[in-house]
Amino acid sequence: MSGPAAQPAREQVVLLDETGHAVGVADKAGVHHADTPLHLAFSCYVFDHDGRILLSRRALSKRTFPGLWTNSACGHPAPGEAFLDGVRRRVHQELGLELDDLRVLLPGFGYRAEMQGVVEHELCPVLVATTSTEPQLDPAEVEEVVWESWADFRAGVLDGSRDVSPWCRLQVEALPEDPLTAPGRPLDELPPAARPR
């Protein structure tokens, strides 16, 4: 006879000090509020083989920044999970994509932003990848997606005509003009909590 069905594990995030070292964990469901503690995250920009960027609109039900257009995927590596494994896992969960050529471009990116009294406060390395697969959306995370020319998207963000999440605007300003061909940064430049052990 089998026992009771296992309850799904609560999703947790890695809490950080100002130097990027892990100082604890917290349940994701309760970590975002008016005084959100610094925690580890990532942002990924996924391109197809024609050089188009996949942009996503955050689900309207999300607690933080609902309905905003942003980069392909954002998420939080789980405690004890290798950073790149966490990126692949979350991108697959949110978008159904398999990633190729996953590289870190902005290893030390961090930001704090607020919307409707809820704060995001993250050390959020920025990555780029390519994919040959078509998106399969998790509606709890993503409202809709669109493939778009990177040059057009970047120009709109930089001139202020394209409305995107605050972190996406900062990231596009910091990314190379052509992130798809930019060399990746070494993983030892990631925040200490995200570096390979």
Side-chain angles (χ1 to χ4, degrees):
M1 177 185 291
S2 62
Q7 294 295 316
R10 292 191 310 259
E11 189 174 354
Q12 294 187 311
V13 301
V14 178
L15 302 178
L16 304 175
D17 65 18
E18 293 300 325
T19 66
H21 289 86
V23 294
V25 300
D27 287 351
K28 179 187 170 189
V31 79
H32 298 101
H33 44 71
D35 192 27
T36 300
L38 184 65
H39 57 279
L40 183 62
F42 72 85
S43 288
C44 191
Y45 289 73
V46 181
F47 291 81
D48 68 10
H49 291 285
D50 294 321
R52 299 179 303 168
I53 179 71
L54 183 69
L55 304 173
S56 64
R57 184 172 177 231
R58 293 167 65 81
L60 298 176
S61 60
K62 287 186 74 67
R63 178 166 170 75
T64 56
F65 297 86
L68 289 187
W69 283 96
T70 193
N71 52 287
S72 309
C74 302
H76 307 90
E81 182 177 39
F83 186 74
L84 295 184
D85 291 347
V87 175
R88 291 181 186 281
R89 173 182 58 81
R90 285 300 302 171
V91 170
H92 189 265
Q93 285 177 346
E94 292 187 13
L95 298 169
L97 299 177
E98 300 294 336
L99 299 180
D100 305 314
D101 192 25
L102 180 62
R103 290 169 285 132
V104 177
L105 293 190
L106 302 176
F109 180 83
Y111 74 99
R112 187 181 188 279
E114 181 178 347
M115 181 180 182
Q116 299 171 346
V118 179
V119 171
E120 277 285 17
H121 189 200
E122 299 178 334
L123 272 182
C124 183
V126 180
L127 303 96
V128 64
T130 58
T131 190
S132 300
T133 50
E134 284 300 315
Q136 302 291 323
L137 308 185
D138 176 353
E141 298 289 343
V142 182
E143 195 74 20
E144 58 184 310
V145 295
V146 64
W147 291 103
E148 189 169 313
S149 154
W150 168 257
D152 290 347
F153 173 68
R154 180 175 184 268
V157 170
L158 295 182
D159 70 17
S161 64
R162 186 64 185 261
D163 190 25
V164 293
S165 69
W167 62 88
C168 183
R169 183 169 308 284
L170 294 169
Q171 290 165 358
V172 170
E173 290 170 355
L175 282 166
E177 183 175 354
D178 183 4
L180 195 51
T181 62
R185 304 298 305 167
L187 295 184
D188 63 7
E189 293 182 9
L190 289 166
R195 293 174 192 163
R197 290 176 175 78

